[in-house]
Amino acid sequence: MSTQPQKYTRNNPYISRMLVNVLMTMPDSEKQTRHIELELEPGMDYTPGDAVGIVPENRPSEVAEVLERLNFKGDERVLDHYKVEISLEEALRTRLAIGKLTRSSVNAYAKIAPGSVPRIEALKSLTLPENRPVAEEYVWGRELIDLITEYPGGITEPQQLFTVVARLTPRMYSIASSQASVKDAVHTIVRVVYYSSHQRDRQGLCSGHLGERAPEGSAMPIFLHANNNFRLPENTDTPVIMVGPGTGIAPFRAFLQHRKAHGHKGDNWLFFGEQRRVSDFLYQEDLEGMFKDGILTRFDTAFSRDQAHKIYVQDRMRENDAELYRWLERGAHFYVCGDANRMAKDVETALLDAIANGKNCTPDAAQEYLANMKKTRRYQTDVY
């Protein structure tokens, strides 16, 4: 990546053009995963491992519903976080996080709400320190619209929304391309999140925007974000092992494109997992092509729902633990990208087992080996 500071930032994004926005998963998939390509201005540089920040907008239908519930028209004037005067409609659409209710919003709302608000004492009791677990339970799966519907009348002036509601923040997505292959563009993949809670259909803020309201040719504010903690080895002959189930495949597509374009000689081993081969095999053509061409030295897949018992990437690692350890002894760098809650922990456990078996050592000695890998940056994670 260029050592020059980026011209565009989260507060001053580049207004990009959507070049490609296509569904990758098949109609019978339980997931909706999209491949996104965004245009860059010449001079905007990134390195495999970096992220692209996308600045989304709230759904117009949600904005309209909040305005209606608050009895505002939307043309009222308010000052945004930088004291710039805009309409309330624009503030709700582009500046305020009206999705995903937080305890701080509940606290702020209870503080400013007049005493005439229905059930105001019940609301205020949620703000007491001893009721934190109850408050956490209340905000789970709720949004601003739920709060102002259940406790109407708390906001009497449009500007108060800036006190109650957090700022709308960009969403970061791992980059799925190398500029050695795509030049003035950046690729990423996004799983569109849809869910229901408290008798309402919801969607992810940015993923919903990309899934429903960002057709090819539309404008999208973006910026590039360096991630120096997720980098290919400096020695291009070094082998790499990559574990990226689901959308965690993104940075590894970038790694492989980069190594291919620059003729790096290091071996590459990829573990990819999803639910079903037929409907969820992200970048199948790309990855199988790289395996056929020898860019991918080894390629192991785990499709959890294709058989009676579920098989995950960590199971494939266990099946190949002796070879995994041999690669580590050859100096391989190990990378994990994807779900932090379970997958990353399970992968680390499988790796520790491979080390313990390969070295024929105690769990403590395996931990020490892994700690040394982390210290020397041979073990890197990008989990969310």
Side-chain angles (χ1 to χ4, degrees):
M1 190 170 211
S2 163
T3 52
Q4 297 296 315
Q6 289 288 347
K7 177 178 170 184
Y8 298 104
T9 62
R10 63 179 58 216
N11 296 328
N12 175 38
Y14 172 63
I15 307 304
S16 175
R17 187 166 56 91
M18 183 67 71
L19 301 173
V20 175
N21 184 345
V22 293
L23 187 62
M24 302 173 79
T25 40
M26 295 295 123
D28 56 344
S29 173
E30 290 173 34
K31 301 178 180 182
Q32 187 191 121
T33 306
R34 305 190 75 84
H35 169 75
I36 305 285
E37 298 184 15
L38 291 152
E39 164 258 345
L40 295 180
E41 180 178 89
M44 288 177 77
D45 300 321
Y46 60 85
T47 299
D50 288 346
V52 57
I54 298 179
V55 185
E57 291 187 1
N58 288 307
R59 267 194 295 184
S61 58
E62 288 180 0
V63 172
E65 201 176 0
V66 168
L67 285 169
E68 185 185 351
R69 184 61 62 185
L70 293 173
N71 293 315
F72 294 138
K73 293 195 183 75
D75 58 2
E76 297 86 351
R77 307 305 287 173
V78 291
L79 296 177
D80 75 1
H81 303 90
Y82 297 104
K83 305 299 177 212
V84 175
E85 189 180 292
I86 55 172
S87 73
L88 178 59
E89 185 278 334
E90 187 181 348
L92 286 169
R93 186 168 42 81
T94 68
R95 306 288 205 278
L96 295 167
I98 60 175
K100 216 166 189 183
L101 192 62
T102 62
R103 282 191 309 108
S104 56
S105 286
V106 171
N107 293 350
Y109 189 79
K111 206 172 184 177
I112 64 165
S116 57
V117 167
R119 297 167 55 226
I120 186 67
E121 293 313 315
L123 181 63
K124 285 188 171 169
S125 78
L126 283 179
T127 69
L128 299 172
E130 62 266 28
N131 287 340
R132 181 173 175 163
V134 185
E136 292 283 8
E137 196 179 324
Y138 173 73
V139 299
W140 182 257
R142 283 186 167 89
E143 299 175 349
L144 176 67
I145 189 67
D146 300 280
L147 178 67
I148 60 177
T149 300
E150 290 172 47
Y151 302 96
I155 290 171
T156 53
E157 299 290 331
Q159 192 66 46
Q160 288 176 318
L161 278 156
F162 283 84
T163 308
V164 171
V165 183
R167 185 178 171 182
L168 190 69
T169 54
R171 298 300 190 261
M172 311 299 287
Y173 293 98
S174 298
I175 290 173
S177 55
S178 164
Q179 277 185 304
S181 294
V182 303
K183 303 210 168 40
D184 294 326
V186 62
H187 298 183
T188 191
I189 45 177
V190 176
R191 182 181 170 200
V192 185
V193 178
Y194 294 106
Y195 61 103
S196 293
S197 63
H198 306 288
Q199 288 79 54
R200 277 178 178 271
D201 290 332
R202 325 265 180 176
Q203 63 175 231
L205 167 66
C206 194
S207 69
H209 187 165
L210 293 167
E212 287 185 358
R213 306 185 303 284
E216 289 169 10
S218 62
M220 182 61 65
I222 68 166
F223 59 96
L224 300 171
H225 177 76
N227 179 8
N228 292 319
N229 294 317
F230 206 73
R231 288 282 182 257
L232 278 165
E234 284 180 28
N235 180 347
T236 59
D237 291 341
T238 303
V240 299
I241 302 165
M242 302 161 282
V243 183
T247 54
I249 189 62
F252 304 134
R253 180 176 183 259
F255 278 14
L256 291 164
Q257 278 188 0
H258 192 79
R259 293 196 115 186
K260 179 183 179 181
H262 291 287
H264 292 181
K265 296 285 186 276
D267 288 341
N268 302 295
W269 186 351
L270 175 67
F271 291 89
F272 171 73
E274 250 298 354
Q275 289 190 341
R276 296 175 181 85
R277 177 180 287 273
V278 171
S279 54
D280 304 298
F281 197 159
L282 309 179
Y283 294 125
Q284 179 175 5
E285 204 176 308
D286 268 14
L287 298 173
E288 289 185 340
M290 287 188 196
F291 183 57
K292 193 178 168 191
D293 294 345
I295 307 301
L296 261 178
T297 318
R298 292 197 55 141
F299 184 25
D300 287 276
T301 57
F303 294 100
S304 59
R305 312 291 168 85
D306 277 355
Q307 58 286 308
H309 65 290
K310 291 179 182 171
I311 295 175
Y312 297 107
V313 284
Q314 59 268 25
D315 299 313
R316 295 292 184 228
M317 287 172 61
R318 289 180 196 285
E319 289 167 13
N320 294 283
D321 66 349
E323 185 64 11
L324 255 179
Y325 180 68
R326 278 195 287 274
W327 278 53
L328 295 180
E329 285 294 280
R330 284 172 52 207
H333 284 218
F334 190 96
Y335 302 87
V336 190
C337 181
D339 168 52
N341 290 332
R342 289 199 42 198
M343 182 277 296
K345 291 170 191 158
D346 292 342
V347 164
E348 185 163 309
T349 301
L351 183 61
L352 283 165
D353 289 346
I355 293 164
N357 292 339
K359 270 178 75 73
N360 193 19
C361 67
T362 63
D364 283 351
Q367 283 281 8
E368 201 177 311
Y369 187 104
L370 184 61
N372 190 54
M373 283 181 66
K374 290 178 180 178
K375 193 175 163 185
T376 54
R377 300 188 55 169
R378 284 181 52 211
Y379 180 91
Q380 297 179 28
T381 63
D382 180 9
V383 295
Y384 38 84

